[in-house]
Amino acid sequence: MRKSKIVTLFIALIAAFSLLSGGSIVQAEEGGHAHGGGHHGGGTIKGLVKTPWVKRYPAIVYVDHVDGTFPPPKENVFIGQSNLTFKPRIMPVLKGTTVDFTNDDNVVHNVFAPPGAAKEFNLGTYGVGVTKTETFDKLGEVPLLCNVHAEMDAFVVVLQNPYYTLTDKKGNFEIKGVPAGSYKLKVWHEKLKEATQDVVVEAGKTASVKFKGLKKR
Amino acid sequence: MKKLTLWILFLTVFTIGVELAPKDAEAIPAFARKYKTACITCHATFPRLTAQGEAFRLNGYKMPGGDELFIKDQPMSLGAAGYKRVFPKSVWPSDIPGMPPVAIRFTQKTVYGIGDNDPTVDFNAPSTKILAAGSMGEDMSFFTEFEFEDEASEISGWLMWEDLLDGAIGENHLNIKIGSVGMQDLALPNTRSHNMITTEMYLYTSAMGLHAEGGSNTGLELNGFDKWWRYNLGITQGDGETAKKDFYGAASFKLGGLGYDGSGGTTEEGGLSTTPAGYWRDDSIAFGFFGYRSYNGPQDEESDRYGVDLRLNYRDLSVAAGYISGKDIEDHMSGLLLDQDVYFGEAEYFAYPWLQPYVRFEGLSVSGADNTSRVIAGAVMLARANVKFNVEGRFYTDNEPATDGAGNRVVFSLDYAF
């Protein structure tokens, strides 16, 4: 519990710092990791993913492709395992990001990505306090499972650029600092089929997008 | 003509209707706990199902349109959904109810015989049912019932595997149910004991040997549904002593109101036609038919049953009618082949959310025997959402049975579930 509070505080500080510096913020679930990025002079994409599912599970809204190269963060991000759950459960990452999988529980855990994942891997079974790492270098959805505790699951969604965010419980989202241009804006959700909308971003302005009528997978 | 006049008179006097959307599930408070919702979400008046309740039942005890969104008591996972990708190297993921999905229903009747044969008052032994039902993951559901009455007991249950073709021919168009199947899924399932507003069994089913009381025989059934139609095809062990099996088929269609799949409805919101004081409303017409071939007795006496039914719901009034033609094909024991016709008309009216008077007229004619007809009239009163009382009379208009307890009577019934 104490560790969780420290992590939450740390994340809040990073989020505050990033906001003040004008970068975009990725809202992470359950006190997860924030990802900085952004483009000075860019525009904002703001909107709503209209579905009751976001109240239970957040959606990831992301710009599908932005020209240029986007280096992954120099420092690893992490997904913990405690109380037989992955924390955070939903994590969008930039391609090339390395994730530390910590075992913060008092039992052994395993992390593997099943067939059909953008990247299939198995970190094996490991004990309390051990950390294993995996670099996510292929775009797409990577479900995570634990073969010791079949009920545990999480998702890493590997993206091409840093212009992404998680919805809040009402489905609202905001992506700041997007370079001016025309893009495909997409929604990923673990229970819903992918949806796409065209969006035009102008520097210093806010483009509004609303996703609705999303179908169940 | 006399019967018709009497029937019209009763309709006029009681201004009642029949609520006969197809239904066949027990009142199971375990669902109220799981979804933290009141009984009336699915029942009006319990155990009879509302259109929403029927959609919930058909959908394998899951809320149409995203069951997970409505669950308050989270199920216990038996494997994350991601394990579907691992199959066949893993067990297919599922879940079980978070709390034990068990409920209890208690019924006690006091009977006042007013016929010539038994003018007595009897406090009948109560009956108790222990019910367990729920869903297991996205595509399995189960139902188990233990019934105890006096010194007798009965057990029934089934498991349904839904969407066998994973939506390839349409979602929920092909499901299989294994276990106790049969009468409860025929065209007019509300006539089975689990869905009756009345305390009196229907001649419609009981006179035709369609297992109305127990509701089922052991076997398997294919069924499916869409917005406006549903079907059942089943084969069961039957009552014979040889290997011959009963089989049946049924289809129902519905126009207006909430679809069998939970979609549609007639309000401006696009949902079920209802108001805070009218959760029972489902303006619609439904009709159906079924056929049932059975083999009974030690030498597999063979008989056919064909039935049709019609149901109309309009605001606070429901009416329904049903007819079955029964024909013995072969009777090795007596050699006597009987033709039977049974019919009923029924009406029920929601005077208040807690008070529904009702009336039913039903008749039976058997070749070579006197016709039987009778009127069932009464009212159901909810003391609480899960506690109800019935006051009901049974009056024969033709051929009152001479057997003790089978003639005219008035019944006071207490029924509660928790």
Side-chain angles (χ1 to χ4, degrees):
Chain A
M1 179 59 81
R2 188 179 169 191
K3 187 169 185 176
S4 171
K5 284 181 180 173
I6 293 170
V7 170
T8 305
L9 182 62
F10 176 71
I11 290 161
L13 285 171
I14 289 183
F17 175 77
S18 301
L19 279 171
L20 289 170
S21 65
S24 70
I25 288 296
V26 172
Q27 304 165 39
E29 185 193 26
E30 298 171 349
H33 312 273
H35 182 88
H39 186 272
H40 292 291
T44 298
I45 304 173
K46 194 173 181 178
L48 176 71
V49 178
K50 190 172 173 55
T51 168
W53 285 100
V54 292
K55 192 173 181 182
R56 184 148 294 186
Y57 308 109
I60 299 172
V61 182
Y62 64 97
V63 179
D64 186 40
H65 179 83
V66 177
D67 289 339
T69 55
F70 302 95
K74 291 176 182 172
E75 293 191 7
N76 296 356
V77 295
F78 81 92
I79 293 178
Q81 296 167 93
S82 62
N83 293 325
L84 305 186
T85 53
F86 286 108
K87 293 177 181 175
R89 264 194 79 246
I90 312 293
M91 178 180 271
V93 299
L94 194 56
K95 183 182 176 184
T97 299
T98 297
V99 178
D100 290 341
F101 290 96
T102 61
N103 182 349
D104 310 315
D105 229 327
N106 52 8
V107 294
V108 295
H109 278 297
N110 159 272
V111 179
F112 77 99
K119 183 176 186 182
E120 197 177 335
F121 65 90
N122 190 337
L123 299 182
T125 302
Y126 52 100
V128 178
V130 176
T131 296
K132 297 213 173 185
T133 63
E134 184 67 29
T135 299
F136 290 85
D137 50 10
K138 293 181 180 174
L139 297 178
E141 169 190 290
V142 184
L144 301 174
L145 297 168
C146 169
N147 67 16
V148 184
H149 308 101
E151 74 280 7
M152 291 176 63
D153 69 346
F155 293 89
V156 169
V157 179
V158 186
L159 302 168
Q160 178 261 344
N161 61 73
Y163 305 109
Y164 55 77
T165 189
L166 285 163
T167 56
D168 64 17
K169 287 188 179 296
K170 292 180 179 176
N172 299 306
F173 68 87
E174 185 175 34
I175 306 173
K176 291 181 176 176
V178 181
S182 297
Y183 303 105
K184 300 281 186 192
L185 190 69
K186 293 194 171 185
V187 173
W188 175 94
H189 191 278
E190 63 180 281
K191 299 286 183 182
L192 304 171
K193 290 179 180 173
E194 182 184 84
T196 305
Q197 284 208 34
D198 292 326
V199 61
V200 177
V201 177
E202 296 179 57
K205 294 185 177 179
T206 298
S208 293
V209 179
K210 187 175 182 180
F211 290 93
K212 57 182 180 180
L214 280 72
K215 305 288 184 190
K216 200 158 185 293
R217 290 196 191 197
Chain B
M1 192 63 191
K2 186 180 172 185
K3 292 175 188 170
L4 182 62
T5 305
L6 188 62
W7 172 226
I8 292 170
L9 180 65
F10 265 96
L11 274 179
T12 307
V13 170
F14 287 94
T15 320
I16 311 181
V18 182
E19 212 273 317
L20 281 187
K23 306 157 172 108
D24 76 51
E26 187 55 93
I28 305 173
F31 294 139
R33 295 187 183 93
K34 179 178 179 180
Y35 296 96
K36 297 284 186 288
T37 187
C39 314
I40 61 174
T41 300
C42 288
H43 296 280
T45 296
F46 84 88
R48 181 161 286 181
L49 294 170
T50 60
Q52 173 67 34
E54 175 66 0
F56 176 77
R57 183 193 71 84
L58 287 172
N59 201 40
Y61 297 136
K62 291 181 282 291
M63 292 286 189
D67 185 64
E68 243 182 297
L69 297 170
F70 298 95
I71 296 174
K72 304 295 193 305
D73 172 42
Q74 289 301 315
M76 197 197 109
S77 172
L78 300 183
Y83 269 95
K84 293 176 185 175
R85 301 178 187 234
V86 183
F87 187 81
K89 294 182 178 177
S90 73
V91 177
W92 193 262
S94 180
D95 58 51
I96 55 175
M99 291 173 64
V102 177
I104 292 173
R105 185 178 170 195
F106 175 91
T107 306
Q108 198 277 322
K109 294 176 185 173
T110 300
V111 178
Y112 174 45
I114 56 175
D116 295 335
N117 302 308
D118 57 336
T120 58
V121 174
D122 289 319
F123 295 104
N124 288 0
S127 75
T128 303
K129 293 176 181 177
I130 301 173
L131 305 152
S135 57
M136 295 188 286
E138 296 175 348
D139 54 11
M140 277 195 182
S141 53
F142 65 94
F143 174 86
T144 309
E145 177 186 271
F146 303 89
E147 181 172 6
F148 306 93
E149 184 169 3
D150 212 350
E151 294 180 356
S153 63
E154 183 174 315
I155 301 172
S156 60
W158 48 257
L159 178 96
M160 187 158 75
W161 194 333
E162 300 137 27
D163 238 352
L164 291 180
L165 300 180
D166 199 23
I169 58 168
E171 192 175 354
N172 287 314
H173 287 187
L174 184 63
N175 314 308
I176 187 168
K177 187 183 277 189
I178 302 164
S180 306
V181 296
M183 180 58 207
Q184 73 266 41
D185 286 314
L186 295 183
L188 199 58
N190 56 300
T191 59
R192 77 190 260 257
S193 57
H194 286 168
N195 283 299
M196 294 193 309
I197 284 288
T198 63
T199 65
E200 183 71 34
M201 297 299 299
Y202 286 68
L203 283 176
Y204 183 77
T205 49
S206 60
M208 288 293 190
L210 289 175
H211 319 295
E213 185 67 55
S216 58
N217 275 359
T218 305
L220 61 88
E221 175 190 281
L222 298 177
N223 63 58
F225 63 91
D226 204 311
K227 186 174 184 180
W228 303 128
W229 56 263
R230 54 182 292 247
Y231 75 90
N232 313 84
L233 295 169
I235 181 167
T236 72
Q237 185 59 34
D239 292 334
E241 294 181 3
T242 65
K244 286 188 177 177
K245 303 290 183 284
D246 289 4
F247 52 89
Y248 62 90
S252 291
F253 305 89
K254 185 177 181 183
L255 304 173
L258 196 73
Y260 291 129
D261 61 357
S263 65
T266 54
T267 57
E268 59 275 17
E269 294 85 11
L272 178 61
S273 174
T274 187
T275 68
Y279 52 85
W280 54 84
R281 290 183 179 177
D282 180 43
D283 296 351
S284 60
I285 298 173
F287 57 95
F289 56 85
F290 75 87
Y292 196 107
R293 165 68 60 92
S294 65
Y295 299 92
N296 294 293
Q299 295 190 45
D300 296 320
E301 287 81 7
E302 184 179 345
S303 59
D304 283 340
R305 307 283 185 254
Y306 298 103
V308 294
D309 61 82
L310 177 69
R311 305 172 286 273
L312 169 65
N313 296 325
Y314 180 69
R315 297 183 69 81
D316 302 329
L317 176 70
S318 292
V319 295
Y323 168 77
I324 297 177
S325 173
K327 190 175 184 64
D328 291 347
I329 306 299
E330 195 164 6
D331 193 321
H332 302 285
M333 294 286 282
S334 66
L336 184 64
L337 301 180
L338 300 176
D339 288 341
Q340 300 180 77
D341 295 284
V342 63
Y343 58 88
F344 81 89
E346 189 176 58
E348 176 192 325
Y349 183 73
F350 276 81
Y352 293 96
W354 55 271
L355 177 65
Q356 296 101 53
Y358 54 80
V359 64
R360 181 166 86 232
F361 181 77
E362 53 190 359
L364 170 69
S365 64
V366 182
S367 55
D370 293 335
N371 292 345
T372 298
S373 60
R374 64 186 191 181
V375 172
I376 312 298
V380 57
M381 291 156 283
L382 283 178
R384 299 289 185 272
N386 63 332
V387 181
K388 71 171 185 179
F389 296 93
N390 276 63
V391 180
E392 180 180 293
R394 178 180 70 193
F395 310 102
Y396 281 86
T397 51
D398 280 313
N399 199 23
E400 180 185 355
T403 315
D404 281 357
N408 296 343
R409 69 177 191 177
V410 174
V411 174
F412 302 90
S413 169
L414 162 65
D415 197 343
Y416 64 85
F418 60 91

